Amino acid sequence: MACKHEDFKATVSVARIKNKGRFMAEISIVCTHCGVPMQFMGLEPGLNYDGATVNLDGFKARIGIHPRGERPNPLQKLAGYSIRNHN
Ligand SMILES: [Zn+2]
């Protein structure tokens, strides 16, 4: 009988890129019943410290991360854009 994939184990590891001061979260998810990995959808393959990408087989998502306060958060970016639009 085919697995319905009802329970999952998600693993997140954090990679620190030496000499760049950058960090990435690497996420993978497998079904705990059958062990099949879940493929991430809608991400480009490659490496982007300022965005989200996926590895070539699609089973590991990589998302650029930063410590709090070192980059504008989404709300601050929105505020910045609205000010620019009004000027
Ligand atoms: Zn399964």
Side-chain angles (χ1 to χ4, degrees):
M1 204 168 117
C3 182
K4 291 180 180 174
H5 311 308
E6 292 175 320
D7 290 295
F8 302 94
K9 178 177 187 282
T11 303
V12 180
S13 61
V14 175
R16 183 172 161 270
I17 291 82
K18 282 184 182 172
N19 303 324
K20 285 188 180 290
R22 306 304 297 263
F23 305 87
M24 301 214 73
E26 297 183 332
I27 301 159
S28 57
I29 299 171
V30 297
C31 173
T32 53
H33 292 288
C34 67
V36 161
M38 302 302 285
Q39 184 177 337
F40 289 90
M41 307 302 294
L43 300 175
E44 294 294 321
L47 201 59
N48 178 2
Y49 299 134
D50 294 316
T53 56
V54 71
N55 71 341
L56 287 177
D57 62 16
F59 301 138
K60 186 178 281 187
R62 302 185 183 111
I63 305 175
I65 57 174
H66 255 286
R68 182 174 67 185
E70 293 192 7
R71 290 288 192 279
N73 66 30
L75 179 61
Q76 291 166 329
K77 282 185 181 174
L78 280 177
Y81 290 145
S82 69
I83 287 167
R84 256 179 244 145
N85 288 344
H86 286 267
N87 287 342

